Amino acid sequence: MAAEMQNVKVIAISPGIAIGRVLRIQRLNRIVDPGEGHISEDQIDAELDRLRGALDTTRKQLQSLQSTLGKKLSAAESGIFDAHLLLLEDRMLLADIEKHIREEKNSAEFAVSRSTEHFIGVFSAIPDPYLQERAADLRDVTARVMANLTEAEAARPNIDDRRIVIADALTPSETVQLDCTKVLGFAVETGSATCHAAILARSMRLPAVSGLPHEIFDKLRSNDIVIIDGVAGRLIVNPDARTEEAYRVKAAAAGKLIDELGRESELCPETTDGFKVELAANIDAAGQYAEANKVGAYGIGLFRTEFMFMEPGKLPDEETQYKCYRELLIAAGDRPVTIRTLDVGADKIATGVYRSAEVNPALGLRGLRLCLYERRDLFTTQLRALFRAGVSGDLRIMLPMVSSTQEIVETRELIRQIQNQLAQENVEFSSRVLLGAMIETPAAALIADDLAEYVDFFSIGTNDLVQYTMAIDRLNERVSYLNRATSPAVLRLIRHCIDCAERKGIPVSVCGQMAADPASALLLAGMGVQELSMASVSIPLVRRAIRSIALFDAEQLVEKSLRATADDEPARLAEALLLKHAPELVDL
Amino acid sequence: MSKMKISKEVTVSNRLGLHGRPAAVLVKMASRYHAAIELSRPEDPDNPADCRSILSLLVLAAAQGTKLLLSADGEDAPQAVDEISEFFAENFQE
């Protein structure tokens, strides 16, 4: 690539700045040029050997990855590897690949690519969400085989210094495989801020961007120098000395600030005039409590239980769940722990839970709807486990995807039956557990005053509330310009919800992505929200933001924001307030 | 021990059909037997699916109501046919 500097706008998916040399990873759908994919008769045996070697290496890599990562991954993530191993040993797949090599004299790469595309084509003709996932698995596992066949650019384990990975796309298992000690960050062509790779990148604290233009990807070569700015969403190729220096200063300052914030975990998250906002953590496995505790989280504001239900073909029984919830409650001691009941559907399809495929899962039987009307068996098991575990700490149960009071009435009735049953069986359970509704649909926000009669608290899930209010698919990049929690429409719904809760005297917390953004958190504090729940990694930043302003300033911000007519105005006003009082947090 | 080939008709009766999860269970089940175990559509007996290959089972795309011919060839064929046809009869335990 020419040495001329290029600075392009991309989508920020994981914050931070990375500067370094490129490691280019290209995936199978473009790696093979069919014109070069033919071999001669006498090469067939050597080609088959090469294939077997690559399969063998891949199997070993997967097994070692699975065992080294085993403890760090949720059951669902670990299940990815089981599925991959099953595919890697699949007789039909292997026979098909070998047939291409033997009979059509294809190179091993070309044969793997053809078989993969063939089966993916077959899968995509069958409307089964599980099959679509297997298609992705197949692509993932054969990409790995391909990487082992073509050592040239894909020599991932041998990165000799820290690099920035540039890829057309990264699958979840590839993302997990990125070794933080060797990778500085990554830039991909496709993937949104809510895709699985982005979520993993944030948990691994790797800066990342997506939406890399194809022309840039095509021209970039290993060893080109790039800068990725995972905050402003920029990618700079071959930066000039001045630009590089400016980014180095910025990156160093960010690193220093993170260290400094790490030492503030004991400080009270209150405004300069004493308005306290409790900061709780979002987790998806009981084992993550330790990290939450380290950053000074006030308990758990959202425990997503669905990850337990994602192990293929195996649903957790009452005892397994009871032990998990109990472990978490004991770890949290007297701090509150809010556990959300099974929330599957839309982007989180748990195989074995769904009984029927849906054309439009985001608007289908998900969350509480699925639990009440199709899988009452699972719901009952989970509630029994929860009420039993409730004796070990301060448990609150939160219901996802509420859209009518009837759903709460029916849940209350089911709980009454469960408690009677437990009493009859002489099983110990807690009768003091609070029950809350998540506000994720415009319907729930609009009837918040009625809902408040039936529940003990509200928790606003901003990610879904934005999706349903703005009528956008969160994974569709083409409508991502509407994906903002600070849109006036969303803010007014939140305001309404908080007003209703205040009138009825029940507490409100916010647990979506909005709570984790320091500027948006000021808006929420200004609206009177007394609990924000977020990924542990965001707590130190939000604590500093809250501590830097007076409640009065936040209230003024809210007043102006609610009158805003332009969609981006509230976000700009909030950023400006943050810039005035805690400039170090802007652009971090 | 004598070799034997046994066949039995089975019906896919669960709502989702022979989808990914039961297919994975079938692969594990079939791998425990020595017999060669196949499933085929009666109208297309020449393209049977190998029960030890998840891809091959998925490609059958057997929806609810599909009748399939289960056949096993080998010394433990009777046990294999019993266990697998039972799995079909139980709606794949769904």
Side-chain angles (χ1 to χ4, degrees):
Chain A
M1 171 155 241
E4 194 181 324
M5 178 165 102
Q6 263 181 300
N7 186 334
V8 292
K9 176 79 190 136
V10 287
I11 303 163
I13 59 174
S14 178
I17 290 163
I19 306 170
R21 290 197 298 141
V22 165
L23 177 75
R24 192 166 187 276
I25 294 179
Q26 191 162 24
R27 291 157 59 80
L28 77 164
N29 38 2
R30 290 206 202 95
I31 206 162
V32 174
D33 174 1
E36 293 170 7
H38 290 277
I39 54 171
S40 60
E41 186 80 37
D42 55 350
Q43 286 176 298
I44 291 177
D45 286 336
E47 211 59 15
L48 287 170
D49 278 347
R50 226 158 57 77
L51 174 68
R52 290 185 198 115
L55 291 170
D56 204 44
T57 311
T58 309
R59 186 176 310 114
K60 285 180 188 142
Q61 286 169 347
L62 285 172
Q63 284 162 345
S64 95
L65 260 175
Q66 194 176 23
S67 63
T68 50
L69 288 168
K71 283 181 191 142
K72 278 197 264 168
L73 298 179
S74 65
E77 286 163 335
S78 179
I80 294 172
F81 294 108
D82 283 333
H84 286 187
L85 284 164
L86 205 55
L87 284 171
L88 195 61
E89 283 160 14
D90 192 274
R91 298 163 148 222
M92 191 188 201
L93 176 67
L94 300 185
D96 195 62
I97 297 173
E98 291 192 10
K99 194 183 92 191
H100 288 312
I101 299 178
R102 271 184 221 283
E103 294 172 17
E104 296 171 44
K105 302 195 187 62
N106 291 155
S107 69
E109 287 92 339
F110 191 32
V112 170
S113 165
R114 284 183 65 184
S115 295
T116 307
E117 295 310 320
H118 168 69
F119 286 112
I120 285 171
V122 173
F123 283 179
S124 56
I126 310 169
D128 171 358
Y130 186 94
L131 273 191
Q132 310 311 326
E133 281 176 50
R134 295 293 76 79
D137 284 340
L138 182 60
R139 213 175 260 290
D140 196 353
V141 78
T142 52
R144 207 179 272 281
V145 174
M146 200 68 98
N148 286 320
L149 279 170
T150 55
E151 297 120 310
E153 289 200 296
R156 266 170 272 181
N158 303 320
I159 309 174
D160 55 358
D161 55 357
R162 298 182 71 193
R163 303 277 194 101
I164 292 174
V165 170
I166 304 281
D168 44 0
L170 285 175
T171 61
S173 79
E174 284 171 332
T175 313
V176 171
Q177 196 197 4
L178 296 177
D179 181 346
C180 294
T181 60
K182 289 174 178 161
V183 173
L184 293 161
F186 64 84
V188 290
E189 276 187 54
T190 53
S192 70
T194 39
C195 74
H196 205 70
I199 293 167
L200 285 170
R202 286 196 292 270
S203 72
M204 292 157 73
R205 296 174 202 226
L206 283 178
V209 296
S210 85
L212 175 66
H214 186 61
E215 319 80 79
I216 303 262
F217 174 74
D218 248 7
K219 279 190 244 154
L220 274 173
R221 287 290 169 263
S222 292
N223 292 333
D224 279 334
I225 301 281
V226 296
I227 297 174
I228 56 178
D229 181 340
V231 177
R234 302 215 73 95
L235 179 105
I236 297 128
V237 181
N238 292 324
D240 57 34
R242 206 169 50 103
T243 309
E244 188 175 332
E245 182 53 28
Y247 269 102
R248 286 206 188 277
V249 169
K250 211 169 154 186
K256 202 171 140 237
L257 179 63
I258 300 275
D259 288 345
E260 195 183 304
L261 292 177
R263 291 190 293 273
E264 294 180 359
S265 65
E266 304 283 315
L267 299 181
C268 178
E270 60 184 5
T271 58
T272 53
D273 46 357
F275 177 74
K276 188 169 178 187
V277 182
E278 298 290 7
L279 304 180
N282 295 350
I283 59 172
D284 43 49
Q288 293 168 5
Y289 183 79
E291 196 195 343
N293 192 40
K294 199 174 145 212
V295 294
Y298 181 69
I300 300 302
L302 167 62
F303 174 36
R304 303 183 190 91
T305 54
E306 47 277 11
F307 288 90
M308 266 195 275
F309 291 78
M310 289 195 172
E311 201 168 343
K314 201 171 114 194
L315 294 169
D317 60 12
E318 182 181 324
E319 213 50 35
T320 310
Q321 293 188 54
Y322 166 71
K323 283 187 189 142
C324 167
Y325 305 148
R326 188 167 173 270
E327 178 195 333
L328 177 59
L329 284 159
I330 290 173
D334 56 2
R335 294 184 174 186
V337 171
T338 306
I339 299 183
R340 180 170 74 185
T341 57
L342 181 60
D343 184 18
V344 288
D347 55 336
K348 286 171 288 204
I349 292 161
T351 315
V353 175
Y354 260 109
R355 282 191 168 152
S356 50
E358 291 190 320
V359 177
N360 198 343
L363 300 179
L365 203 61
R366 54 169 293 200
L368 184 58
R369 302 169 178 183
L370 180 88
C371 285
L372 275 176
Y373 305 118
E374 185 154 314
R375 297 309 303 257
R376 202 173 259 244
D377 53 333
L378 294 180
F379 198 29
T380 303
T381 305
Q382 183 170 38
L383 288 169
R384 279 179 62 101
L386 283 166
F387 283 102
R388 285 177 56 202
V391 297
S392 304
D394 182 359
L395 173 66
R396 288 113 198 253
I397 296 176
M398 179 156 97
L399 305 168
M401 228 9 223
V402 173
S403 35
S404 80
T405 52
Q406 183 60 25
E407 291 163 340
I408 308 285
V409 172
E410 288 189 32
T411 306
R412 287 263 185 215
E413 173 56 24
L414 179 64
I415 289 174
R416 197 185 57 79
Q417 292 168 10
I418 288 170
Q419 292 185 332
N420 284 345
Q421 184 68 32
L422 286 169
Q424 266 177 30
E425 292 170 20
N426 250 331
V427 177
E428 197 188 8
F429 69 94
S430 169
S431 50
R432 296 189 319 273
V433 176
L434 300 180
L435 186 71
M438 283 200 77
I439 307 291
E440 297 172 283
T441 64
L446 291 167
I447 58 162
D449 48 352
D450 293 334
L451 281 176
E453 300 282 348
Y454 298 91
V455 293
D456 305 309
F457 65 93
F458 286 154
S459 182
I460 304 177
T462 54
N463 299 357
D464 273 328
L465 187 59
V466 172
Q467 157 164 296
Y468 294 124
T469 303
M470 306 304 286
I472 50 161
D473 176 351
R474 279 198 275 165
L475 300 178
N476 186 342
E477 287 164 28
R478 301 164 77 184
V479 288
S480 63
Y481 73 99
L482 288 170
N483 190 354
R484 70 172 78 242
T486 51
S487 291
V490 179
L491 287 182
R492 287 177 208 181
L493 281 178
I494 295 176
R495 167 88 266 176
H496 175 72
C497 193
I498 294 168
D499 287 346
C500 294
E502 266 172 16
R503 274 204 301 279
K504 306 279 175 168
I506 66 169
V508 181
S509 70
V510 174
C511 67
Q513 186 61 38
M514 185 182 188
D517 174 61
S520 308
L522 299 182
L523 266 168
L524 294 170
M527 287 199 263
V529 175
Q530 292 180 40
E531 183 184 311
L532 301 175
S533 191
M534 65 203 77
S536 295
V537 53
S538 301
I539 288 181
L541 282 71
V542 174
R543 176 185 284 110
R544 170 71 72 94
I546 299 285
R547 289 178 54 82
S548 67
I549 54 146
L551 182 61
F552 176 76
D553 294 327
E555 286 171 344
Q556 295 279 97
L557 167 68
V558 170
E559 207 169 295
K560 282 188 216 150
S561 297
L562 287 171
R563 284 200 309 263
T565 48
D567 229 37
D568 60 347
E569 199 179 332
R572 274 193 281 116
L573 293 168
E575 290 266 334
L577 184 64
L578 190 66
L579 187 65
K580 190 169 154 201
H581 296 279
E584 71 279 12
L585 297 176
V586 177
D587 284 356
L588 182 72
Chain B
M1 194 167 279
S2 68
K3 274 201 100 180
M4 53 174 91
K5 181 163 179 165
I6 299 186
S7 298
K8 187 173 180 180
E9 190 185 78
V10 291
T11 307
V12 177
S13 43
N14 70 317
R15 200 155 133 197
L16 280 180
L18 178 50
H19 65 100
R21 190 197 66 84
V25 177
L26 268 179
V27 171
K28 285 192 187 138
M29 232 176 236
S31 306
R32 291 201 298 269
Y33 294 96
H34 297 294
I37 307 167
E38 296 178 339
L39 277 168
S40 58
R41 286 178 176 265
E43 70 275 18
D44 185 16
D46 298 334
N47 282 311
D50 179 349
C51 281
R52 292 200 186 93
S53 157
I54 188 161
L55 280 180
S56 136
L57 290 172
L58 294 175
V59 168
L60 265 186
Q64 185 178 28
T66 309
K67 290 198 189 318
L68 298 169
L69 191 66
L70 166 68
S71 60
D73 189 354
E75 55 191 51
D76 49 7
Q79 294 91 319
V81 168
D82 279 352
E83 189 185 1
I84 293 173
S85 60
E86 175 69 3
F87 184 55
F88 274 83
E90 290 171 336
N91 288 346
F92 303 135
Q93 294 158 3
E94 287 189 344

